[in-house]
Structure formats: structure tokens, C-alpha cells
Amino acid sequence: MNLRPLLPVLLLAALLAGCTKEPAGFMIEGGNHSLTVERNKPYAWSDGWELDLIVTRYPECQRRHSLKKAGEKVRVDLYRTPTGAFILNQGKRWYVAETKDCRMQQFEDEPPEPGEYLGAFRVKNDVFAFVPTKDDKNGKGE
């Protein structure tokens, strides 16, 4: 049996075996309205995680926005402002997202009042998930 034709397929499978993509979602008013942080490790040898924020309000819009690449530990805190916008904090970076038009932008400076703390996108029990304030024993919920 000649394995030569299968060699490229086997090499590709080996390269892709290390890739990981894990979404964590925060539902707003049901499943058609949400904020999702997706952490992605495209290759087994990748350092840290690539992060995207997916802002969704079906059927009007859905947009993917890149966040700053993170190290091995990923944590993005989520706040809601009185106006209904959402503030995200990733280390020293602050972002504002709004679901009316599925937009997001980075703040130049830390906002003085980010709003009500809702929880964090982080690993809990070996699973990347949104951990609400009441369940967030490792964060601002205490």
C-alpha cells in the first residue's frame, strides 16, 4: 500500500490538531441578543490566545471585533452602563460595545464609572465561560 498520497493530509491533520476555539456567551434578552468572547489558539505552538468579541442582535446585526491578544490566562470583565451600553475590561484595556448597531471601540483612558459589574469571561472548572457576578469567586463579585 502506497501512503505517499496520504502524507499531505496526515501533515495537515497534525498541524490542525493543536488549534482550539472556545466561545463564552452572555445572553441579553434571550438567545437573539448577546455578547460572546471567543478565545482562539490557531496552532499548537501558539503563545497565548487571540480574542474576539462577537456582538449580536438578530436579525439586525452581528459583528466580530478583535480584542488585544491575551496570555495563557484570559479574563475579560463585563459591565453594563445605565444607558444600556456594555463596558469590557481586559487588563489595562477598556472597550465599549453597544448592541443597537453591533459596534465596539477601545477607550483611550479608563472610564471613571464603568457601570454595574455583571461578571467575567474566564476559565472556571477548566471551561472558558461567562461567570456571572454571583458565581465569580475570583473577581470583583466578592
Side-chain angles (χ1 to χ4, degrees), residues 31-129:
N32 291 336
H33 195 187
S34 65
L35 297 174
T36 302
V37 172
E38 183 177 84
R39 72 178 190 165
N40 179 24
K41 190 172 281 205
Y43 306 105
W45 58 85
S46 297
D47 288 337
W49 295 91
E50 294 176 7
L51 298 178
D52 289 324
L53 173 68
I54 301 136
V55 183
T56 304
R57 191 170 59 86
Y58 288 129
E60 287 79 13
C61 62
Q62 179 179 25
R63 301 248 183 336
R64 178 181 294 265
H65 305 277
S66 294
L67 301 176
K68 181 71 176 169
K69 187 175 179 179
E72 287 304 316
K73 290 191 174 190
V74 174
R75 182 183 181 99
V76 179
D77 292 311
L78 181 64
Y79 302 82
R80 185 186 331 234
T81 68
T83 63
F86 293 90
I87 307 294
L88 296 97
N89 174 236
Q90 177 195 10
K92 294 180 181 180
R93 289 181 174 68
W94 291 84
Y95 305 91
V96 61
E98 62 83 19
T99 59
K100 182 179 178 205
D101 295 321
C102 295
R103 292 186 291 172
M104 184 208 77
Q105 76 178 61
Q106 184 173 344
F107 282 104
E108 290 188 22
D109 297 312
E110 178 179 341
E113 298 282 331
E116 173 193 2
Y117 178 68
L118 300 174
F121 297 94
R122 65 179 184 83
V123 174
K124 182 176 181 182
N125 301 326
D126 297 324
V127 175
F128 185 61

